[in-house]
């Protein structure tokens, strides 16, 4: 679980409210109030709209943030709006304030989305783990093995020094040719099995009079 949150540089104990307070602290709201005080007497509709939105945000904070505040600064494409679409030219000395808001909003949304993805991924993995636990329990009760079990147990058997020589001896007379198809889809365990059953394929005495071959075919990987 911790690895998931580490991938997103997120503290798993952190809430959305804590992240909000991390980005939008008292200093941030003080700067907004100072900005409002400079443009609130403008007679331009655009400036008055800006004043209203910022004032509402100061009062209601995160309750209106997602649908209201950030849409005023950020396009639906997640790109920042032009300064001229937010304030009139006579207030362009506050452009840096607008740009800081836009960057802050994007950083905040990135972190919130990362938190949601990490939480959703963790829930999904927990759900899958429950399914696999139940699946393993059912196999055990019915004494069944699936395809992966056959691979895992075969590899384990061939790595067991108490039995591997005897198994190879028994297998030696059964086949002279090995065909490995779709080799690009062969995983490490399967290659381990192939290696175990072929490492003496050409070197033991019984191989001297045999025309033995290993044929491997597959796509580039």
């Amino acid at each position: 679980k911790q690895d998931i949150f580490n991938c997103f540089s997120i503290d798993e104990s952190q809430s959305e409210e804590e992240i909000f307070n991390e980005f939008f602290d008292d200093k941030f709201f003080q700067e907004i109030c100072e900005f409002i005080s400079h443009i609130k007497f403008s007679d331009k509709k655009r400036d008055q709209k800006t004043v209203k939105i910022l004032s509402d945000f100061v009062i209601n904070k995160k309750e209106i943030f997602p649908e209201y505040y950030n849409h005023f600064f950020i396009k639906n494409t997640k790109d920042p709006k032009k300064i001229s679409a937010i304030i009139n030219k006579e207030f362009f000395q506050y452009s840096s304030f607008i740009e800081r808001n836009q960057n802050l909003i994007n950083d905040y949304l990135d972190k919130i989305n990362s938190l949601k993805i990490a939480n959703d991924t963790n829930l999904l993995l927990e759900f899958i783990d429950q399914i696999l636990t139940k699946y393993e329990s059912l196999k055990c009760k019915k004494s069944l093995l699936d395809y992966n079990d056959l691979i895992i147990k075969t590899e384990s058997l061939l790595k067991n020094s108490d039995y591997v020589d005897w198994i190879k001896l028994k297998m030696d007379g059964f086949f002279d040719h090995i065909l490995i198809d779709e080799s690009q889809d062969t995983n490490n365990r399967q290659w381990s099995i192939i290696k175990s059953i072929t490492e003496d394929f050409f070197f033991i005495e019984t191989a001297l009079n045999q025309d033995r071959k290993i044929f491997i075919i597959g796509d580039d990987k």
Side-chain angles (χ1 to χ4, degrees), residues 155-173:
E155 182 197 27
S156 177
L157 189 62
L158 289 170
K159 284 187 173 181
N160 189 321
S161 59
D162 293 333
Y163 303 107
V164 63
D165 290 336
W166 181 83
I167 293 169
K168 288 181 180 179
L169 182 65
K170 289 295 182 181
M171 293 179 65
D172 184 55

Side-chain angles (χ1 to χ4, degrees), residues 9-92:
S9 301
I10 295 286
D11 182 351
E12 63 177 295
S13 64
Q14 199 169 27
S15 66
E16 289 190 23
E17 182 176 358
E18 288 172 332
I19 293 176
F20 180 88
N21 293 330
E22 172 189 331
F23 280 86
F24 305 107
D25 54 15
D26 292 340
K27 181 181 178 182
F28 167 83
F29 285 107
Q30 182 179 346
E31 289 180 353
I32 286 185
C33 290
E34 291 175 357
F35 177 68
I36 292 172
S37 68
H38 286 97
I39 67 169
K40 66 181 181 180
F41 297 112
S42 171
D43 58 358
K44 303 292 192 303
K45 288 185 178 180
R46 183 179 303 160
D47 296 331
Q48 288 305 310
K49 181 181 179 182
T50 299
V51 168
K52 183 180 187 317
I53 289 174
L54 295 180
S55 298
D56 287 346
F57 182 48
V58 169
I59 296 171
N60 297 296
K61 295 185 170 58
K62 68 178 186 304
E63 284 81 3
I64 67 165
F65 177 82
E67 297 81 15
Y68 192 49
Y69 183 74
N70 64 318
H71 289 170
F72 182 69
F73 290 96
I74 308 293
K75 298 177 183 177
N76 290 333
T77 59
K78 308 303 181 185
D79 296 318
K81 289 183 178 179
K82 293 181 179 180
I83 301 297
S84 58
I86 300 173
I87 53 176
N88 283 288
K89 290 182 179 179
E90 59 196 272
F91 296 110
F92 268 22

Side-chain angles (χ1 to χ4, degrees), residues 159-196:
K159 284 187 173 181
N160 189 321
S161 59
D162 293 333
Y163 303 107
V164 63
D165 290 336
W166 181 83
I167 293 169
K168 288 181 180 179
L169 182 65
K170 289 295 182 181
M171 293 179 65
D172 184 55
F174 289 172
F175 53 87
D176 295 316
H177 310 287
I178 296 176
L179 167 63
I180 302 166
D181 195 10
E182 301 291 352
S183 62
Q184 78 280 355
D185 296 326
T186 306
N187 62 36
N188 288 338
R189 278 202 170 98
Q190 291 167 326
W191 281 118
S192 174
I193 293 170
I194 294 166
K195 181 178 183 295
S196 294

